[in-house]
Amino acid sequence: MAAELFAKHEGTLRRAIDALDGGSRRSPFPESPRAYEDTAPAAGEERFSAYLGTPFEFAQPSRGYQRTGERSPYGIDLDVVYPLAEPDAMVQAAAAALPEWAHAGVEARVGICLEILDRLGERSFEIAHAVMQTTGQPFLAAFQTGGPHALDRGLEAVAQAYLALSHLPARTRWEAPQGKRETVAVERTWHVRPRGVAVTLGASTFPTWHAMPGLFADLATGNPVIVKPHPGSVLPLAIVVETAREVLAEVGFDPAVVQLAVDTGDEPIAERLLTNPAVAIVDYAGGSRFGRWIEQHVTQARLYTETRGVNAVIVDSVPDLKGTSRSLATLAATYSGQACTSPHVVFVPRDGVDAGEGHATFREVAAAVAAALDGLLADDGRASDILGAIRRAEVLEQVAAAAASGEVLLASRRIANPTFPQATVATPVVVAVDAADRDAYLREVSGPVLFLVATDGTTHSLELASDAARTVGSLAWLVATTDPEVEAAAEQAAVDAGVSVALGLSGGFSANQAAAFGDFHPTGANPAGNASPADPGYVTGRFHLVAVVRPD
Amino acid sequence: MAAELFAKHEGTLRRAIDALDGGSRRSPFPESPRAYEDTAPAAGEERFSAYLGTPFEFAQPSRGYQRTGERSPYGIDLDVVYPLAEPDAMVQAAAAALPEWAHAGVEARVGICLEILDRLGERSFEIAHAVMQTTGQPFLAAFQTGGPHALDRGLEAVAQAYLALSHLPARTRWEAPQGKRETVAVERTWHVRPRGVAVTLGASTFPTWHAMPGLFADLATGNPVIVKPHPGSVLPLAIVVETAREVLAEVGFDPAVVQLAVDTGDEPIAERLLTNPAVAIVDYAGGSRFGRWIEQHVTQARLYTETRGVNAVIVDSVPDLKGTSRSLATLAATYSGQACTSPHVVFVPRDGVDAGEGHATFREVAAAVAAALDGLLADDGRASDILGAIRRAEVLEQVAAAAASGEVLLASRRIANPTFPQATVATPVVVAVDAADRDAYLREVSGPVLFLVATDGTTHSLELASDAARTVGSLAWLVATTDPEVEAAAEQAAVDAGVSVALGLSGGFSANQAAAFGDFHPTGANPAGNASPADPGYVTGRFHLVAVVRPD
């Protein structure tokens, strides 16, 4: 039956492999809500509403059902209860499910993974509401990043795993000298041995987007997975795990191949779960403090991490200051700067920059960015659609701390969301600081904060950005220049610092999101982590090869 | 010029890639000394002799020339002096050489690597003498493992690196939605960013065989390498590094891309070298004590290790007790059990085993193994050709300790080597112990020691072997059984324990050496290490990918 699933989805797999090889990308998961059936949006919203106030049931080891601290940044009542995890019992159940899953073979596992992704594709509206209401993302962003983009990333991981495993010659034969005796023919077979029980930790901002690649890379390479959502954003991953277990059970596998380990903010289980000696792989995306804890304490497992860092913008020269400022303002405002690639630090020469026909001083650049933010966010309804909602109170504390650390060029202001009056919505604060004041801007920020840092010039800006990448970590740079030599220098600096970079901000280009099959995320070459599904090491570290040789 | 080298060796590369994919293996490095030109053996010996008593010169940062403690287990005077390393200056020189090497591109680097391998292939006799006289290996083994087999492993690593890097699409193009604005076409390029300065630590037993894969995987992926030989076996790696630097200089690269870091036993530099923050990759093969030290202290680098462990033989049933015993005796005696895959622990049911027509008791199995060793090693000349020489005094201490820990069934005896009267040659001691006496046999041994362990039966034997793999680590198992069900159980136990296994010892099959393109070494799934060039992770962890996106 799993073989039928492989056959059913083989076309999708082949197209994904072609995209990995540089071919065109034709995602099976449309990113426009309008591409779905007319009834899909309402049906998805209805399914989402049906979760509210009810228990989300899983037949797993549990200490009973309880609320987790999940609350909507938009202020609606969620009130979903989940079974609280029993970490040790879940690890045992996963370990018990491993042998059968390992022996199923890559095609069976890939077929099942693709069926799970396919069914999740039909639940994208329901997932979008769950992501929106637990993370504060605006609806369209929640739909795209939580649904189709997340599924694309899962598909990419499955394709990478299939490539890595199917590339191995299953059986080889060669002649082995036996000292003075007759040479014998030797047959060798490779066994793919999964590393063991995997844990995927969910993020509070993009729960499905961050969890999908690790989850599916683990599954495709034979490792059972325990998904531990952030207690503030359980529902999206509960939907994912429910779907996975449904498919596993239908095809006759132990549903314990995928489990949901729910905890609460008051009684966290992550440390106990991760240090269980049977846990062999950990995927984590989130703050760097817990990321460092994992790196120091979870020494028995292979780690794939993505932590926040300092995402730098280097402004060197622009043909059209207004246009560049608009692009930058849009990036900074989107989801209130709470995304992992949101820019927070903009390096601008203190003597100003070439700007089209003339020259713009540092003050003029700052004023243009502030004006662009003001213009973009003037209307409360439109501003709410861009900003989403503030996740939690600590985010506002970061805004206040940023404002206190330099000269406020544009204050953060509260906005009323017309649909969700209880949502906390805040515009970005823009703060000018000097490059010498490192402590002010070299900090991990996840919220509506934009530092404009006055530097000695673009060479200095690149040095500062490189230094931030090496010490704090960075996921992405954006570069605005009209000078090909500066562009080349910026590209080389990014490579040396191990940070992916988008050039072209001077022309208004502002791609800073990670697209599947063209990933734009942690490279492994700086402290912001190594969890890039585009890196071949992303899947190869999840299994071992054991050789069996015999005379043939 | 590097491009010409790629063209020159492209056929070799393509054949190696074909072998990786399961095709036939046609090594460019013949393993029979007779396959070389008639003058090659004498010329190689002459070149080796010319090193003795002279300085081996390198234009590198150095604290002056000195002896390292290198001495021949065969008792000849070596008296070669080398430039003592300046670790920090060498790391700086390597780091300075990195950018140009990284930017050279994969084809240039692969061409240079293949040229180095090609020239080393012409130095195999000279390398064989250097390996023999610094490690105590018998000549034929030193030739095969030190020359052609080592070069095959280097070639395998180059092919793996080429596959991994050339698989990446250099440039892709896709459409990126820009919110409400017009969709833009995005071009993405990948930059391969080497991890940084690499260190390859040489082993005292198989210096070239262990060093080649890491050295060439590092070079092909763009990382400069500092080769730090074991102070007791410098000469073989000095020849390798000299050849590499010669090719690099000819093609116009900084020879600091490959450096030789020589130290002495009295003033070791490994700890200082490895903890230099710029060191990003470490390859190590050797004892597990220093292996654990590296794992605990060298946290800034990616580690590829191979440490000794307990290599188990599981005897279940044999059609011909004499034949199996002969194979086992040959394996145990080869190079006096000083190889990393030498078997040291033989699990035999205390109630005996089925043996062809009848039944053999534990005592009878033990007697057959002892008799096979006696027969194999009866003639001093032949015995010397099999046993080689004892590397150093500590090995004899291990023999004495083993003899004291159980019932000696066959004592170790000294043998006079007819060619090298000062060589220390000793036959294996065979010691019977009970399975319950774990401390007696669960130890890291590198010398002529064979424990016969009495177990409750084959299921128990497999449990004990699995437990040893999980706790101490294992590189290879050998299984002797005539029962297909036992064979299947042993195969599964090996996969679960993460140990590569050779089946067929009951028929006399005894392949336990790692052949390139069919590797049979640490899988990464037990404490004996992860340094298997056959694992795709062996090369993918040596570089990062940095994405650069721009509007197209």
Side-chain angles (χ1 to χ4, degrees), chain A residues 488-549:
Chain A
E491 184 169 351
Q492 192 52 54
V495 172
D496 290 343
V499 186
S500 290
V501 58
L503 306 168
L505 181 64
S506 65
F509 176 67
S510 60
N512 82 329
Q513 75 181 30
F517 305 102
D519 199 276
F520 191 63
H521 252 65
T523 62
N526 76 60
N530 63 344
S532 167
D535 189 315
Y538 190 72
V539 296
T540 57
R542 298 177 196 260
F543 62 88
H544 300 292
L545 298 172
V546 178
V548 177
V549 298

Side-chain angles (χ1 to χ4, degrees), chain B residues 202-275:
Chain B
S204 61
T205 48
F206 294 85
T208 53
W209 194 92
H210 277 302
M212 289 303 207
L215 169 62
F216 282 94
D218 286 334
L219 289 179
T221 53
N223 305 279
V225 186
I226 296 170
V227 178
K228 198 213 85 62
H230 190 283
S233 181
V234 179
L235 188 55
L237 290 174
I239 295 171
V240 170
V241 172
E242 180 187 57
T243 307
R245 290 168 65 90
E246 180 185 285
V247 174
L248 285 163
E250 280 176 23
V251 191
F253 283 92
D254 185 344
V257 166
V258 184
Q259 297 176 87
L260 186 76
V262 177
D263 65 355
T264 66
D266 294 337
E267 283 185 84
I269 59 162
E271 298 189 2
R272 179 154 156 222
L273 179 61
L274 298 181
T275 52

Side-chain angles (χ1 to χ4, degrees), chain A residues 19-264:
Chain A
L20 280 180
D21 286 343
S24 71
R25 317 173 193 210
R26 285 161 296 169
S27 170
F29 311 111
E31 69 174 7
S32 165
R34 285 189 297 273
Y36 292 74
E37 281 183 33
D38 289 349
T39 55
E45 188 163 5
E46 202 172 307
R47 285 196 67 162
F48 166 72
S49 299
Y51 293 123
L52 307 185
T54 63
F56 204 123
E57 290 185 21
F58 285 96
Q60 289 180 165
S62 158
R63 295 186 291 119
Y65 283 70
Q66 199 173 309
R67 284 183 192 79
T68 66
E70 209 175 28
R71 46 167 290 284
S72 167
Y74 288 100
I76 70 166
D77 283 334
L78 293 173
D79 207 20
V80 189
V81 297
Y82 303 92
L84 288 194
E86 283 275 28
D88 297 343
M90 293 180 112
V91 172
Q92 271 175 36
L98 188 146
E100 192 192 17
W101 188 241
H103 299 155
V106 62
E107 295 207 347
R109 291 194 302 264
V110 163
I112 290 167
C113 286
L114 295 175
E115 176 69 14
I116 296 168
L117 287 167
D118 190 43
R119 292 197 195 176
L120 287 172
E122 291 168 14
R123 298 179 81 169
S124 280
F125 282 95
E126 174 188 345
I127 291 171
H129 286 285
V131 169
M132 175 185 179
Q133 293 297 345
T134 56
T135 68
Q137 284 187 47
F139 179 76
L140 186 63
F143 179 84
Q144 293 187 330
T145 69
H149 293 177
L151 300 176
D152 275 343
R153 282 165 55 89
L155 174 58
E156 179 179 25
V158 172
Q160 289 276 21
Y162 181 78
L163 266 185
L165 297 181
S166 61
H167 178 73
L168 296 167
R171 179 178 302 255
T172 60
R173 200 176 167 283
W174 79 91
E175 311 283 310
Q178 297 284 295
K180 290 181 181 162
R181 285 170 298 140
E182 208 183 334
T183 289
V184 297
V186 178
E187 180 208 76
R188 185 206 63 191
T189 50
W190 283 124
H191 289 253
V192 173
R193 180 186 177 283
R195 268 191 74 90
V197 175
V199 173
T200 294
L201 296 168
S204 61
T205 48
F206 294 85
T208 52
W209 195 92
H210 276 302
M212 289 304 206
L215 169 61
F216 282 94
D218 286 334
L219 289 178
T221 53
N223 304 280
V225 186
I226 297 171
V227 177
K228 198 213 85 63
H230 190 283
S233 182
V234 180
L235 188 55
L237 290 174
I239 295 171
V240 170
V241 172
E242 180 187 57
T243 306
R245 291 168 64 90
E246 182 185 286
V247 174
L248 285 162
E250 280 177 24
V251 191
F253 283 91
D254 185 345
V257 167
V258 184
Q259 298 177 87
L260 186 76
V262 177
D263 65 354
T264 66

Side-chain angles (χ1 to χ4, degrees), chain B residues 357-372:
Chain B
E357 311 276 289
H359 182 88
T361 64
F362 180 87
R363 289 271 150 198
E364 285 164 347
V365 172
V369 172

Side-chain angles (χ1 to χ4, degrees), chain B residues 23-66:
Chain B
S24 70
R25 315 173 192 213
R26 285 162 295 168
S27 170
F29 311 111
E31 68 174 8
S32 166
R34 286 188 298 273
Y36 292 73
E37 281 183 32
D38 289 348
T39 54
E45 189 164 4
E46 201 172 308
R47 285 196 67 158
F48 166 73
S49 300
Y51 293 124
L52 306 185
T54 63
F56 206 123
E57 290 184 20
F58 285 96
Q60 290 179 165
S62 158
R63 294 187 289 120
Y65 283 69
Q66 199 172 310

